[in-house]
Amino acid sequence: MNIDVKDHAALSDVFNEDEDRVNWHDETLWWIRQKRDKAVNQLPEWESLRETASQIKNNVLSYLSNYLQQFEANATKNGIKIHWAADAKEHNEIVLGLLQSKQVKQMVKSKSMLTEECHLNEFLAENGIDVIDSDLGERIVQLAKEPPSHIVLPCIHKKKEEIGELFHQHLGTPAGNADPQFLTETARQHLRETFLTRKAALTGVNFAVAATGEFVVCTNEGNADMGAHLADIHIASMGIEKIIPERKHLGVFLRLLTRSATGQPITTYSSHFNKPRPGQEMHIIIVDNGRTIQLGREDFRNSLKCIRCGACMNTCPVYRRSGGHSYHNAISGPIGSILAPNLDMEKYADLPFASTLCGSCSNVCPVKIDIHQQLYKWRQVIVKNGYATTAKKASMRLMSFTLSTPSVYHVGGKAGRWVLKHAPFAVNNKFNPWYKHRDMPEPPKESFGEWYAKNKNGR
């Protein structure tokens, strides 16, 4: 897939060239959304859990500095070494420095969206470090030399036949074999050797407990445990927002996370790490990378509550039919569209407009982030800062003038109705993006204003 064009609309066109792929991508994600609905409807206390999680995160964001210092102190007591990274560059250099200090040239990595955000794999490859992603979906897109298209389902955009071909090219499986069970077993054998031979492992962090200094990694494949338990050095990368105050709060978040993500009651593995085993080194890199800027934006700070469940992607009609790569960012979908502009408003100015603002993302968010409201507010910020396209700015000025000038509004309405009736080709053509996927409406015989003028005395 060509991801050089940095525009959501253009990249969506690329994804939509394969209509069959779009249809099953849409249907599969909606099926996962339905699994989520069935799972949450079995819990009468679901809305109470959501509200509790949201309030816990409110508390964390209000006292973030205190909780981070508490976590550092307790983790250090446990024998874990803490590092602080202001941005992606510092994070990557810390990882490289740790590997070089141990003369490590190979590393196994479980799923970590933070490392995707920091482009860690590419950085380490440039510096002679071989990284193998151990999550099956991540390994598939790594072999394809593509970024993940979904934060929970990294290769959801891939057909099983394409995966079979990748395994044939890179892992030596028979050509044409696309049986999922066979491919999974092949990946298991391939990764087993990786786990046994890599002396360094990197994991993400789902939750970090301030009161105990421990962190929790949630997986369905057990790959994080395999890598971390067999490695001589375990590096964990976490964003500053991953903190929760106490261990008891895990009971709230673990019940929300996987039900929202895949409809499961809980992840297969919820692994707690609180100290290195004898002879092992354990390091945690706590990363800012723009998060404190987002924390200071009153309208957008709630986005830092995100627990990376992907529910907003599974329900979003735009994401389902445009694909994750159309967002040209490590985190795609609705949540990515409110996080990315904080990192680079100009580069990601298109993303808040890639939404219908239907509100479904906010409805399913397990920590009650007002995602669709933030998308709307980001549009305002982007336009005010001059990052909207020339065409969009011109159209908005024209619309503003028309809607604020009654005479122009009435003339424009009459002209529009006349064109739709007598010259529909003027709007029903390939140059009108709206018409590409929709039928233009039948023109009304009269405007509401005209109808009201004739009927207001007959009430």
Side-chain angles (χ1 to χ4, degrees):
M1 180 177 289
N2 178 16
I3 57 171
D4 294 329
V5 183
K6 300 298 184 182
D7 175 81
H8 181 270
L11 289 168
S12 298
D13 285 342
V14 174
F15 186 72
N16 275 268
E17 288 173 1
D18 187 341
E19 189 172 346
D20 287 340
R21 186 189 304 273
V22 173
N23 289 339
W24 62 251
H25 187 268
D26 181 16
E27 292 164 5
T28 302
L29 289 168
W30 186 249
W31 173 70
I32 297 170
R33 161 67 205 268
Q34 290 175 316
K35 284 181 64 183
R36 174 260 177 206
D37 291 349
K38 289 177 183 177
V40 305
N41 286 332
Q42 292 173 3
L43 289 183
E45 68 271 31
W46 179 256
E47 287 304 318
S48 176
L49 285 171
R50 289 182 72 211
E51 180 62 25
T52 302
S54 182
Q55 292 302 328
I56 292 171
K57 283 291 189 176
N58 275 338
N59 175 264
V60 167
L61 295 178
S62 297
Y63 299 98
L64 186 57
S65 176
N66 294 341
Y67 284 127
L68 286 169
Q69 291 178 67
Q70 182 185 13
F71 176 75
E72 178 185 31
N74 288 323
T76 302
K77 286 178 188 175
N78 295 341
I80 302 173
K81 297 178 182 178
I82 301 294
H83 309 262
W84 298 85
D87 53 27
K89 181 175 182 292
E90 283 191 13
H91 167 269
N92 293 347
E93 289 173 348
I94 291 169
V95 174
L96 178 62
L98 291 172
L99 296 176
Q100 289 177 336
S101 71
K102 298 297 178 182
Q103 298 181 323
V104 171
K105 293 290 185 181
Q106 297 176 317
M107 183 178 77
V108 64
K109 181 168 75 71
S110 67
K111 187 185 294 178
S112 164
M113 292 313 299
L114 176 59
T115 61
E116 295 292 340
E117 178 186 320
C118 295
H119 304 290
L120 176 66
N121 283 16
E122 296 87 340
F123 174 83
L124 292 180
E126 291 169 2
N127 287 275
I129 306 293
D130 178 43
V131 179
I132 288 187
D133 284 305
S134 61
D135 175 90
L136 179 55
E138 292 271 355
R139 184 60 177 149
I140 289 167
V141 294
Q142 186 181 34
L143 292 174
K145 294 181 169 54
E146 294 178 355
S149 66
H150 190 290
I151 59 178
V152 175
L153 311 163
C155 66
I156 187 65
H157 61 288
K158 287 286 187 190
K159 299 177 181 178
K160 63 181 181 180
E161 291 78 13
E162 294 171 326
I163 297 170
E165 180 59 26
L166 277 172
F167 278 30
H168 171 63
Q169 293 175 10
H170 297 278
L171 305 182
T173 58
N177 193 328
D179 176 62
Q181 187 172 350
F182 173 79
L183 297 177
T184 302
E185 181 59 29
T186 300
R188 182 181 289 114
Q189 297 301 325
H190 161 65
L191 290 171
R192 185 61 53 90
E193 181 191 2
T194 300
F195 293 132
L196 292 171
T197 57
R198 270 24 180 201
K199 298 303 180 185
L202 187 146
T203 68
V205 172
N206 289 94
F207 306 102
V209 183
T212 63
E214 70 188 291
F215 62 95
V216 178
V217 181
C218 302
T219 68
N220 277 328
E221 300 170 22
N223 55 301
D225 303 79
M226 289 286 287
H229 293 327
L230 294 172
D232 295 334
I233 177 171
H234 176 188
I235 303 169
S237 298
M238 62 171 274
I240 59 173
E241 79 283 9
K242 295 296 184 179
I243 290 284
I244 60 172
E246 299 179 34
R247 182 184 288 163
K248 67 181 182 181
H249 296 139
L250 287 168
V252 175
F253 289 100
L254 291 176
R255 297 178 77 193
L256 289 167
L257 175 61
T258 320
R259 283 181 171 88
S260 297
T262 59
Q264 298 170 249
I266 196 168
T267 47
T268 308
Y269 301 91
S270 299
S271 306
H272 297 240
F273 297 90
N274 66 359
K275 63 180 180 180
R277 71 171 191 275
Q280 184 191 47
E281 286 187 17
M282 186 176 288
H283 300 260
I284 300 175
I285 308 173
I286 303 175
V287 186
D288 184 335
N289 201 38
R291 286 161 174 76
T292 51
I293 296 175
Q294 191 84 325
L295 185 64
R297 299 182 192 268
E298 186 176 354
D299 286 336
F300 307 111
R301 72 195 302 267
N302 280 350
S303 62
L304 295 175
K305 295 179 180 180
C306 177
I307 59 174
R308 303 296 192 268
C309 68
C312 61
M313 302 176 185
N314 302 338
T315 198
C316 177
V318 176
Y319 174 88
R320 295 201 316 265
R321 299 198 68 83
S322 63
H325 289 156
S326 64
Y327 292 82
H328 57 92
N329 180 47
I331 300 175
S332 53
I335 187 64
S337 297
I338 61 176
L339 293 173
N342 177 64
L343 295 173
D344 189 329
M345 199 181 303
E346 182 176 9
K347 181 179 180 181
Y348 299 114
D350 57 311
L351 296 186
F353 295 92
S355 170
T356 63
L357 300 182
C358 66
S360 186
C361 49
S362 301
N363 290 340
V364 300
C365 177
V367 287
K368 303 183 78 169
I369 302 171
D370 53 337
I371 301 175
H372 73 294
Q373 295 289 354
Q374 292 193 36
L375 287 165
Y376 175 63
K377 290 173 182 175
W378 265 121
R379 294 181 184 188
Q380 296 172 311
V381 172
I382 285 166
V383 172
K384 286 178 182 177
N385 282 272
Y387 293 125
T389 63
T390 302
K392 190 178 292 292
K393 286 187 283 190
S395 63
M396 289 299 102
R397 289 194 194 100
L398 177 61
M399 184 62 70
S400 176
F401 173 73
T402 301
L403 294 176
S404 61
T405 312
S407 58
V408 175
Y409 175 78
H410 293 309
V411 170
K414 287 181 179 179
R417 293 197 299 277
W418 188 92
V419 168
L420 283 173
K421 184 176 181 180
H422 300 287
F425 57 85
V427 288
N428 294 351
N429 58 63
K430 63 181 181 180
F431 300 107
N432 179 5
W434 184 267
Y435 179 66
K436 285 182 182 178
H437 305 288
R438 301 170 181 85
D439 293 325
M440 298 304 289
E442 242 184 74
K445 295 177 181 178
E446 58 188 357
S447 69
F448 173 78
E450 292 168 339
W451 175 89
Y452 182 75
K454 289 193 302 184
N455 293 278
K456 63 181 179 180
N457 295 324
R459 289 182 296 175

